[in-house]
């Protein structure tokens, strides 16, 4: 009996998943736009090529049976940044192609770039809705970014602090000293024109 062959490095079955189909479509459209930009070689060719290489790296990492282990949250953030940058880059490519020329090549580049920008925008929405938003709400009272969730803020409020009890001054032996209230300003005894005023009272005292 022959031994079963070990599985290959790549898992092509991922291409049948929604995410695999989306990444593959982005890569094909990106390659088509780069091919259309190659003959005139505008300034937008370099960012479009870099975005295509980033898409190829993302699809290759998805196809690997044993992908490299990244810290938690790094893969999601990289996918979101790739989708957002793809939306902006190919939207600019479409506008530049439309403004630079009116020939058939420019019109084709504009059409493909605009469709690709919409695909990347859809990828941004899906990535945020299915991967980033659950990560933000994950955790006990705090989200993935350390932000308290609404349920935690409403259900785990600390109880209000009770007022501190009055503290009497220490004494050593004998009765506790009596604390006399301090006189208010203007209540001190004074003498005006031979008439004295008692402490804290408006009773005139006739001086003898």
């Amino acid at each position: 009996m022959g031994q079963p062959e070990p599985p290959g490095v790549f898992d092509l079955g991922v291409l049948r998943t929604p995410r695999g189909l989306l990444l593959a479509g982005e890569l094909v459209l990106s390659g088509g736009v780069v091919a259309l930009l190659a003959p005139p070689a505008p300034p937008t060719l370099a960012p479009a090529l870099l975005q295509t290489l980033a898409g190829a790296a993302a699809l290759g990492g998805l196809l690997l049976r044993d992908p490299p282990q990244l810290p938690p949250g790094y893969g999601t953030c990289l996918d979101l940044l790739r989708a957002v940058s793809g939306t902006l880059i190919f939207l600019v490519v479409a506008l530049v192609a439309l403004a630079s020329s009116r020939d058939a090549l420019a019109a084709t580049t504009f059409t493909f770039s605009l469709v690709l920008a919409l695909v990347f925008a859809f990828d941004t929405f899906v990535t945020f809705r299915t991967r980033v938003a659950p990560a933000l709400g994950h955790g006990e009272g705090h989200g993935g970014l350390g932000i308290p969730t609404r349920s935690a803020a409403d259900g785990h409020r600390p109880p209000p602090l009770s007022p501190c009890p009055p503290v009497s001054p220490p004494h050593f032996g004998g009765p506790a000293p009596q604390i006399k209230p301090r006189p208010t300003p203007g209540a001190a005894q004074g003498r005006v024109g031979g008439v004295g005023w008692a402490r804290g009272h408006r009773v005139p005292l006739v001086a003898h």
Side-chain angles (χ1 to χ4, degrees):
M1 294 179 62
Q3 297 181 353
E5 296 182 0
V9 179
F10 296 101
D11 183 12
L12 298 181
V14 178
L15 294 176
R16 293 192 291 268
T17 62
R19 179 149 190 83
L21 289 174
L22 185 60
L23 288 178
E26 290 174 354
L27 183 59
V28 171
L29 289 175
S30 300
V33 172
V34 169
L36 292 172
L37 292 175
T44 54
L45 176 61
L49 182 59
L50 290 177
Q51 184 66 35
T52 305
L53 295 177
L59 182 60
L62 188 65
L63 291 175
L64 287 176
R65 292 184 182 274
D66 189 14
Q69 298 296 327
L70 296 176
Y74 275 48
T76 302
C77 292
L78 290 177
D79 281 340
L80 185 63
L81 290 177
R82 179 191 56 79
V84 171
S85 63
T87 303
L88 299 177
I89 286 174
F90 287 104
L91 184 61
V92 172
V93 170
L95 296 177
V96 170
L98 181 64
S100 61
S101 178
R102 300 292 181 179
D103 57 359
L105 182 60
T108 307
T109 305
F110 167 77
T111 303
F112 273 81
S113 300
L114 185 60
V115 171
L116 186 54
L118 294 177
V119 172
F120 272 110
F122 177 73
D123 191 4
T124 303
F125 172 76
V126 171
T127 302
F128 183 84
R129 187 71 179 272
T130 61
R131 303 175 64 187
V132 177
L136 290 177
H138 179 71
E140 184 69 25
H142 288 80
L145 299 180
I147 303 174
T149 58
R150 184 174 181 180
S151 61
D154 294 341
H156 299 280
R157 262 184 209 159
L161 296 178
S162 59
C164 299
V167 179
S168 58
H171 62 281
F172 303 94
Q178 299 295 328
I179 301 177
K180 298 182 179 180
R182 297 181 60 183
T184 57
Q189 182 177 358
R191 185 179 297 274
V192 179
V195 179
W197 299 91
R199 185 183 302 268
H201 299 279
R202 287 292 186 178
V203 180
L205 300 178
V206 180
H208 297 285

